[in-house]
């Protein structure tokens, strides 16, 4: 199955550069802002965008993203409303929207109804999903449902995952492998661990899928350490922490969006070496 995710990585590989994928929380502080931030990120030339579905008990997310989820839920976030907003955005020919990847708890999918969720996600413009609380080596039935919906199911692999289990996980993955850079939760870090190179080399020997690194990446220097070792990188906390400024009465909405865009543009530029 060829998807917009695999096409994006193939194009970037031919251009000898990595993919940059920013993460934002849907509905923080509201869906209108989510749409405007997506438009700004698209203008800045990011390659993919990860969209987090707010959840009251997130898996592996640090305090910055947890707080963002809480703000969205307190402001009345609903999954169906997100799908409707994104469906409208995807139909806007003036926006060059990159591939969208949803980060969503299986508990949300289960409550919504798996087949209904996948259909509406695809209709809304999502190209793939990351489901952190669905063990990759136990996702057989859901893997088939995502394939039927023409969606990729991205799998997470930690440095602590045993090799035999990693082999089973990557077999159920499509799109790319989300390589967790460090053991622990998401968050901004000064340096990436030295053992990350060995982790990526091990994964490279087990799969031909692109490898995208997340957890702790926040600055161009981090990108330089990944060059030639990974196919892409994901930035979450360093972007999401800027969303708290939407509640600052001294800052305008437009200024906050512009600041998020400026940072994303700088990180997108770093992929070109």
């Amino acid at each position: 199955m060829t998807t917009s995710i695999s096409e994006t990585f193939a194009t970037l590989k031919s251009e000898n550069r990595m993919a940059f994928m920013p993460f934002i929380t849907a509905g923080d502080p509201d869906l209108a802002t989510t749409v405007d931030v997506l438009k700004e990120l698209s203008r800045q030339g990011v390659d993919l965008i990860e969209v987090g579905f707010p959840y009251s008990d997130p898996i592996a997310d640090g305090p910055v993203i947890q707080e963002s989820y809480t703000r969205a839920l307190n402001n009345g976030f609903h999954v169906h409303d997100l799908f409707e907003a994104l469906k409208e955005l995807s139909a806007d020919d003036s926006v060059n929207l990159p591939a969208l990847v949803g980060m969503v708890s299986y508990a949300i999918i289960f409550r919504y109804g798996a087949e209904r969720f996948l259909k509406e996600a695809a209709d809304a413009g999502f190209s793939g999903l990351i489901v952190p609380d669905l063990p990759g080596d136990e996702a057989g039935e859901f893997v088939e449902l995502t394939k039927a919906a023409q969606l990729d199911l991205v799998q997470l692999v930690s440095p602590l995952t045993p090799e035999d289990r990693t082999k089973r996980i990557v077999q159920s993955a499509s799109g790319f492998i989300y390589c967790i850079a460090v053991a622990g939760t998401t968050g901004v870090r000064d340096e990436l661990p030295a053992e990350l190179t060995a982790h990526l080399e091990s994964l490279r020997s087990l799969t031909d899928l692109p490898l995208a690194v997340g957890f702790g990446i926040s600055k161009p220097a981090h990108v330089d350490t990944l060059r030639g070792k990974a196919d892409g990188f994901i930035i979450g906390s360093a972007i999401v922490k800027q969303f708290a400024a939407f509640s600052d009465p001294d800052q305008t909405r437009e200024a906050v969006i512009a600041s998020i865009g400026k940072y994303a543009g700088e990180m997108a530029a770093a992929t070109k070496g």
Side-chain angles (χ1 to χ4, degrees):
M1 181 176 72
T2 301
T3 65
S4 57
I5 293 175
S6 56
E7 288 174 351
T8 296
F9 276 103
T11 298
L12 294 173
K13 184 176 182 179
S14 72
E15 297 172 356
N16 196 33
R17 67 183 184 89
M18 286 186 287
F20 167 42
M21 186 185 323
F23 170 98
I24 67 169
T25 296
D28 179 20
D30 51 54
L31 284 177
T33 301
T34 299
V35 168
D36 286 344
V37 170
L38 287 171
K39 290 178 180 178
E40 176 63 20
L41 292 174
S42 301
R43 280 193 292 269
Q44 294 295 337
V46 306
D47 302 298
L48 308 97
I49 302 175
E50 185 182 350
V51 180
F53 285 64
Y55 185 50
S56 57
D57 190 20
I59 308 297
D61 287 309
V64 170
I65 293 177
Q66 288 184 27
E67 289 167 8
S68 179
Y69 281 3
T70 298
R71 289 193 298 267
L73 291 170
N74 287 344
N75 290 334
F77 171 82
H78 291 288
V79 171
H80 180 71
D81 294 341
L82 171 64
F83 287 152
E84 289 300 306
L86 292 184
K87 189 184 298 184
E88 184 175 339
L89 178 61
S90 297
D92 186 345
D93 293 334
S94 69
V95 181
N96 187 24
L97 194 66
L100 300 181
V101 183
M103 170 72 88
V104 55
S105 166
Y106 188 72
I108 293 174
I109 297 171
F110 181 79
R111 285 201 305 268
Y112 204 81
E115 292 190 36
R116 176 192 171 203
F117 183 95
L118 293 171
K119 181 183 184 306
E120 292 190 16
D123 289 346
F126 280 98
S127 298
L129 298 175
I130 304 165
V131 187
D133 53 350
L134 180 67
D137 52 349
E138 299 175 17
E141 182 179 351
F142 191 68
V143 169
E144 295 308 311
L145 289 176
T146 56
K147 286 180 180 177
Q150 298 292 298
L151 291 168
D152 280 318
L153 183 59
V154 176
Q155 299 288 8
L156 297 111
V157 179
S158 159
L160 302 180
T161 307
E163 184 174 334
D164 59 340
R165 185 155 185 260
T166 298
K167 289 178 180 177
R168 296 195 300 272
I169 290 172
V170 299
Q171 287 173 358
S172 68
S174 61
F176 64 92
I177 301 294
Y178 191 128
C179 310
I180 299 174
V182 293
T185 59
T186 59
V188 176
R189 292 171 172 83
D190 289 333
E191 295 182 359
L192 296 177
E195 60 268 24
L196 177 59
T197 297
H199 177 46
L200 292 171
E201 288 175 351
S202 175
L203 281 170
R204 189 73 76 187
S205 71
L206 298 176
T207 181
D208 293 328
L209 288 173
L211 307 179
V213 178
F215 286 45
I217 298 171
S218 61
K219 51 192 176 182
H222 291 157
V223 179
D224 290 337
T225 66
L226 296 174
R227 208 175 302 282
K229 302 167 187 172
D231 302 290
F233 60 96
I234 301 153
I235 296 183
S237 296
I239 290 176
V240 173
K241 71 177 182 180
Q242 297 185 53
F243 280 67
F246 283 115
S247 62
D248 184 345
D250 294 328
Q251 297 206 50
T252 67
R253 182 175 180 275
E254 291 73 22
V256 177
I257 292 174
S259 176
I260 292 169
K262 181 176 182 292
Y263 174 77
E266 291 170 353
M267 296 307 299
T271 68
K272 298 169 184 172

